[in-house]
């Protein structure tokens, strides 16, 4: 019986796999993967990290690329793998029970990508406003706490990327469980920045390119038909958080120039100066670390 996603014999040999193992990977381990390249990337990731791919430590996650106009399959670890990686340092000292914020009930409507294509969807979801997790690490013999709070509406995955507000089926069915995974991942990154990474639950439904920033409404000095004014949003905590998110995405994708171009197209004055300064600091830090 042939595998769901065929692969050439030379490519299979380069991965060090036989046909039966490839069939297990395509049919059982990564049943939602759409390309052989996505699964091959997962195998390579696991080989580089010394992981057993058959234990499903990573997930193949489709992410939208605006530059290429299509979804690209990427590989991200599951929350269990991130926690195991922290434990292997010998400094992981446990975590507290999670704390959840008040329950929120809200309707989400829009176009969503489902198995039969795009459909108009309207769904009511009950979800916790936020989740807080504390992870402990031994630092110079002392048990130190690292606490992170993650907000549901800033984190949930969308069933169609940035083009819709409708959550994916998993975030509708398990709003607390999915948020908990993301909060644990954030706390683990805070405690183990040299080991921690983003997890599949955080990246699903996101875009590979830097996330768009919210643009405040501005009263144009001339009619909109003639000139479109750039917005200069206030430098509040929300704007600063969005700049931080854009920088994280630029760092992961190595898209520093694209991020700078994006900022210069949309902002002026203090907002632009602040964002460019933060971007330059992050870029310099990466260069210094690599040196």
């Amino acid at each position: 019986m042939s595998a769901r996603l065929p692969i050439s014999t030379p490519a299979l040999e380069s991965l060090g796999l036989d046909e039966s193992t490839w069939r297990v990977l395509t049919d059982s381990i990564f049943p939602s993967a759409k390309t052989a390249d996505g699964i091959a990337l997962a195998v390579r990731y696991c080989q580089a990290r010394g992981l057993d791919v058959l234990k499903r430590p990573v997930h193949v996650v489709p992410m939208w690329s605006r530059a290429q106009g299509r979804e690209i399959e990427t590989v991200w670890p599951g929350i269990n793998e991130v926690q195991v990686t922290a434990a292997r340092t010998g400094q992981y000292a446990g975590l507290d029970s999670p704390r959840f914020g008040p329950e929120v009930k809200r309707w989400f409507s829009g176009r969503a990508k489902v198995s039969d294509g795009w459909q108009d969807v309207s769904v009511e979801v009950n979800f916790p406003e936020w989740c807080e997790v504390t992870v402990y690490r031994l630092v110079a013999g002392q048990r130190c706490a690292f606490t992170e709070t993650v907000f549901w509406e800033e984190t949930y995955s969308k069933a169609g990327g940035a083009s819709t507000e409708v959550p994916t089926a998993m975030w509708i069915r398990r709003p607390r469980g999915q948020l908990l995974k993301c909060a644990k991942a954030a706390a683990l990154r805070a405690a183990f920045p040299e080991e921690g990474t983003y997890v599949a639950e955080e990246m699903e439904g996101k875009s590979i390119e830097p996330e768009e920033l919210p643009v405040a409404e501005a009263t144009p000095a001339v009619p909109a038909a003639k000139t479109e004014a750039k917005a200069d949003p206030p430098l509040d905590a929300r704007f600063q958080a969005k700049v931080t998110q854009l920088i994280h995405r630029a760092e992961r994708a190595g898209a520093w120039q694209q991020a700078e171009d994006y900022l210069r197209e949309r902002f002026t004055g203090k907002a632009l100066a602040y964002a460019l300064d933060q971007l330059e600091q992050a870029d310099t830090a990466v260069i210094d670390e690599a040196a």
Side-chain angles (χ1 to χ4, degrees):
M1 182 175 63
S2 60
R4 178 177 62 87
L5 296 173
I7 188 173
S8 67
T9 299
L12 194 61
E13 291 176 350
S14 70
L15 294 173
L17 303 175
D18 55 35
E19 291 184 3
S20 62
T21 302
W22 179 255
R23 188 164 56 250
V24 170
L25 291 174
T26 60
D27 298 350
S28 301
I29 305 300
F30 302 109
S32 62
K34 295 180 174 61
T35 67
D37 288 342
I39 296 178
L41 180 61
V43 173
R44 292 295 191 193
Y45 179 100
C46 290
Q47 290 173 343
R49 298 279 292 173
L51 307 172
D52 184 353
V53 68
L54 295 178
K55 291 183 178 180
R56 203 173 295 171
V58 299
H59 302 274
V60 177
V61 179
M63 298 181 67
W64 180 257
S65 171
R66 288 190 295 274
Q68 299 190 36
R70 64 183 179 90
E71 283 188 337
I72 296 176
E73 291 194 316
T74 61
V75 173
W76 299 90
I79 183 61
N80 289 340
E81 170 54 29
V82 175
Q83 195 163 339
V84 168
T85 299
R88 286 174 177 168
T89 66
Q91 299 173 348
Y92 177 66
L95 74 164
D96 288 341
S97 297
R99 295 178 60 246
F100 288 96
E103 288 289 318
V104 176
K105 181 181 292 187
R106 178 189 157 188
W107 281 94
F108 294 85
S109 300
R111 298 281 288 174
K113 190 175 183 181
V114 297
S115 57
D116 297 332
W118 289 87
Q119 294 182 5
D120 290 321
V121 175
S122 184
V123 60
E124 186 178 37
V125 183
N126 291 332
F127 56 89
E129 183 179 2
W130 51 264
C131 179
E132 181 180 277
V133 170
T134 297
V135 166
Y136 294 90
R137 178 174 184 171
L138 297 178
V139 179
Q142 300 293 317
R143 187 171 184 252
C144 300
F146 297 83
T147 301
E148 288 292 321
T149 303
V150 173
F151 293 86
W152 197 94
E153 291 189 82
E154 295 179 354
T155 307
Y156 79 94
S157 295
K158 301 174 182 178
S163 62
T164 182
E165 67 169 10
V166 178
T168 59
M170 187 64 75
W171 280 81
I172 294 173
R173 290 197 302 267
R174 302 185 68 253
R176 292 171 66 89
Q178 293 297 100
L179 186 62
L180 172 57
K181 289 180 181 181
C182 295
K184 286 176 65 176
L188 286 164
R189 280 195 301 275
F192 298 88
E194 76 281 15
E195 299 289 345
T197 184
Y198 287 84
V199 298
E201 290 78 10
E202 294 175 289
M203 304 312 298
E204 182 185 5
K206 306 299 192 299
S207 173
I208 291 178
E209 287 85 11
E211 185 177 79
E212 291 191 358
L213 297 176
V215 179
E217 293 292 333
T219 302
V222 296
K226 295 182 179 180
T227 303
E228 183 178 350
K230 294 181 179 180
D232 195 3
L235 301 184
D236 56 16
R238 179 177 173 79
F239 175 77
Q240 293 175 14
K242 290 298 182 181
V243 170
T244 299
Q245 290 179 13
L246 183 145
I247 291 173
H248 285 331
R249 290 181 182 276
E251 181 177 347
R252 290 197 302 274
W256 299 108
Q257 187 59 54
Q258 294 92 324
E260 180 179 343
D261 293 343
Y262 174 90
L263 293 170
R264 291 187 182 279
E265 288 176 0
R266 287 164 175 78
F267 301 104
T268 60
K270 294 181 179 179
L272 177 61
Y274 170 82
L276 291 178
D277 179 66
Q278 295 298 304
L279 188 69
E280 182 179 0
Q281 289 184 38
D283 189 10
T284 301
V286 170
I287 294 174
D288 291 344
E289 184 178 347

